[in-house]
Amino acid sequence: GAACAASEGAAAAPTPTPDGALASGGAARAASGTAGAPGIGDPDFPTDGNGGYDVGHYGLTLSYDPATKRLAGSAAITATATQELSSFDLDLHGLTVGKVTVDGAAAAFARRGDELTLTPSRAIGKGASFEVVVDYSGVPDPVHGDRDLGTYGFIATKDGSFVTCEPNGAKTWFPSNDHPADKATYDFRLTVPQGVTAIANGELDGAPVTNGGRTTFVWHERHPMASYLATMTTGKFEVRTGKTAAGVPVYAAVDPAFHSSLNDLYTRSAEITDYWSTVFGPYPFSSTGGVIDDFAAGYALENQTKPIYGGFPPESGIVAHELAHQWFGDSVSITRWRDLWLNEGFATYAEWLWAEHKGGDTADAEFRRYYANAADPMWAYPPGTARPGDLFNASVYNRGAMTLHALRKSIGDATFFALLKKWTADHQYGNATTPEFVALAEQMSGKKLGGLFDAWLSQPRRPADVP
Ligand code: ARG
Ligand code: ZN
């Protein structure tokens, strides 16, 4: 993550979003008046994403051979220009680009670090929609992040691929605007050797088709998705499908090494999806589920509609965490990485709510246990700033969850749970920021909450007031 981002060394890009959250004053690339910026404007990840356009849809047609570890195919990207574009960038790490077209005409391209710069034969007008097709192939090289990032992106396994891309690993397997501020819908047409299963987001379009020893799986994710939530997980899998009690389609898959966990994964994912729907608002997507792969990643990721568990059978608290992310992170996405507590603090708080719901410790007891440890390093490490080299630090999770509990105590249960539902409804399928959350909490409670959020999210010390 940070290592990749830093190698470009470019300035933050001036790409205002509707709420202005990403606006920044950095200089665009020199000597190219209408070039799209090489970053979307996230000050902590300056070369992630790109400026000048907004992707609406990715159509990924890819084949993968676990024996050679070779990925090959094309990405068809439909986008709208938000400025005149003489050239623009996509994010792509490694792989070999064969051919690029823009609106059907061959376009020139150049590579520099993880930036693929395309120059169409003539400039794209501001407001125009355009289609880019990139043909590419190669052996994907995942990102080796520092500290708590681990290895992420497209990772080859013994029988396929384990694909978890948070925060910026989509670029390891498809050219993309690789930042959560630009969400898009996806189609996946994935071809693998017969006997291998290819799992992506959303729902299967009919039964897989086998031809000449190769099977093609077609998946559609029709709700907007952040690039880091896209997956192409392949290998030998046992699958169970059905519906939750409330009627949401379920797709659960496990590597045969986790054969005995398939039914638990299915049942827990179904039950928890329905439970969160009563707490957070209607389930936002067209299916739910989960995947356990025999790859010891050491973490889980909330891939949209299909959280993935890396080499362990998840206990229900982890499933509760990853499925809470379907609302907090996946449907309502962050606009910049410094607001990651909006994902991880909420999903961790959901774990506490789940334990309480199941008759375990209350959220209040969990809060008090953390609060009692005055020596916890998280007090000196506030969760409201991004730490590119230490993004998934414990403070973002635990002090983030504590922030929500402090808020709940301050505004009362009725307002707090109404706030969660209004938050997920107002920003469904979109993006949001911490100041927007604070504003909604103040509006719904009628209280000034700036001091509370500042103490919990921004100050390098344990907040003095426990409401
Ligand atoms: N969002 C994931 C979770 O909370 C963590 C992802 C960790 N990513 C990574 N590259 N280590 O479950
Ligand atoms: Zn999480």
Side-chain angles (χ1 to χ4, degrees):
C4 283
S7 67
E8 286 292 306
T15 306
T17 59
D19 61 5
L22 287 180
S24 75
R29 189 174 283 167
S32 39
T34 60
I40 203 167
D42 187 326
D44 299 300
F45 291 83
T47 61
D48 282 11
N50 306 284
Y53 63 92
D54 180 29
V55 176
H57 184 77
Y58 293 91
L60 304 178
T61 301
L62 295 168
S63 61
Y64 185 64
D65 181 356
T68 61
K69 306 188 186 326
R70 210 179 120 82
L71 180 73
S74 68
I77 303 167
T78 311
T80 303
T82 55
Q83 63 173 70
E84 189 186 23
L85 287 173
S86 53
S87 69
F88 59 93
D89 281 10
L90 289 163
D91 300 310
L92 185 66
H93 175 76
L95 303 168
T96 301
V97 174
K99 184 182 176 199
V100 178
T101 63
V102 175
D103 289 332
F109 65 88
R111 312 262 330 241
R112 190 175 64 103
D114 290 349
E115 301 292 328
L116 168 65
T117 303
L118 310 189
T119 306
S121 50
R122 51 193 186 99
I124 298 164
K126 179 177 179 178
S129 27
F130 59 100
E131 190 192 38
V132 183
V133 178
V134 180
D135 292 347
Y136 63 100
S137 62
V139 176
D141 174 30
V143 180
H144 303 280
D146 43 354
R147 299 186 70 169
D148 55 7
L149 282 166
T151 299
Y152 62 95
F154 192 107
I155 303 169
T157 63
K158 63 179 175 0
D159 62 356
S161 52
F162 178 86
V163 182
T164 50
C165 299
E166 192 179 19
N168 51 14
K171 68 182 174 196
T172 67
W173 64 287
F174 62 99
S176 47
N177 198 14
D178 196 7
H179 189 281
D182 187 1
K183 298 168 72 170
T185 56
Y186 286 71
D187 292 329
F188 305 86
R189 180 174 293 274
L190 308 178
T191 300
V192 288
Q194 185 171 2
V196 173
T197 299
I199 302 169
N201 312 88
E203 296 78 50
L204 268 174
D205 182 352
V209 174
T210 299
N211 230 313
R214 304 201 317 156
T215 306
T216 299
F217 294 76
V218 179
W219 294 88
H220 299 297
E221 174 50 69
R222 61 189 186 87
H223 297 292
M225 178 164 75
S227 53
Y228 74 83
L229 298 169
T231 192
M232 171 182 182
T233 297
T234 64
K236 300 250 190 276
F237 283 101
E238 297 173 10
V239 176
R240 179 175 166 192
T241 60
K243 285 190 173 178
T244 72
V248 179
V250 184
Y251 182 100
V254 301
D255 184 287
F258 293 93
H259 168 79
S260 62
S261 300
L262 178 58
N263 286 336
D264 264 4
L265 175 68
Y266 178 94
T267 307
R268 283 181 184 156
S269 302
E271 180 192 356
I272 293 169
T273 298
D274 284 350
Y275 180 61
W276 286 151
S277 303
T278 70
V279 179
F280 303 143
Y283 183 66
F285 303 124
S286 304
S287 63
T288 184
V291 177
I292 307 175
D293 199 359
D294 186 20
F295 175 77
Y299 57 81
L301 182 66
E302 62 267 24
N303 287 340
Q304 190 157 307
T305 69
K306 280 177 200 68
I308 188 162
Y309 306 93
F312 61 94
E315 40 102 4
S316 69
I318 308 280
V319 177
H321 179 113
E322 304 309 331
L323 288 172
H325 273 310
Q326 303 304 305
W327 285 260
F328 305 106
D330 295 10
S331 173
V332 181
S333 299
I334 54 175
T335 311
R336 51 190 190 186
W337 287 106
R338 63 177 291 185
D339 292 335
L340 184 59
W341 83 280
L342 290 174
N343 295 3
E344 301 305 344
F346 283 58
T348 301
Y349 197 61
E351 284 182 61
W352 301 1
L353 294 174
W354 177 255
E356 179 168 347
H357 171 65
K358 284 299 193 183
D361 285 347
T362 63
D364 199 59
E366 199 72 63
F367 175 92
R368 276 166 213 291
R369 182 158 47 242
Y370 278 111
Y371 191 84
N373 181 10
D376 193 314
M378 73 179 164
W379 301 127
Y381 212 77
T385 50
R387 300 177 190 273
D390 191 21
L391 194 59
F392 298 99
N393 64 78
S395 182
V396 168
Y397 286 70
N398 300 326
R399 196 166 150 181
M402 294 180 82
T403 303
L404 288 172
H405 194 69
L407 173 67
R408 176 180 169 187
K409 296 298 262 188
S410 167
I411 68 180
D413 279 12
T415 304
F416 177 76
F417 286 102
L419 168 65
L420 294 186
K421 284 190 169 160
K422 182 139 171 59
W423 178 247
T424 60
D426 284 1
H427 299 284
Q428 188 170 53
Y429 309 134
N431 292 87
T433 63
T434 299
E436 290 173 311
F437 184 70
V438 174
L440 185 63
E442 289 190 333
Q443 180 206 314
M444 290 181 70
S445 66
K447 292 178 94 160
K448 284 263 162 258
L449 297 166
L452 182 152
F453 281 105
D454 178 63
W456 279 95
L457 294 176
S458 302
Q459 295 304 318
R461 64 189 66 86
R462 185 169 70 163
D465 305 327
V466 184

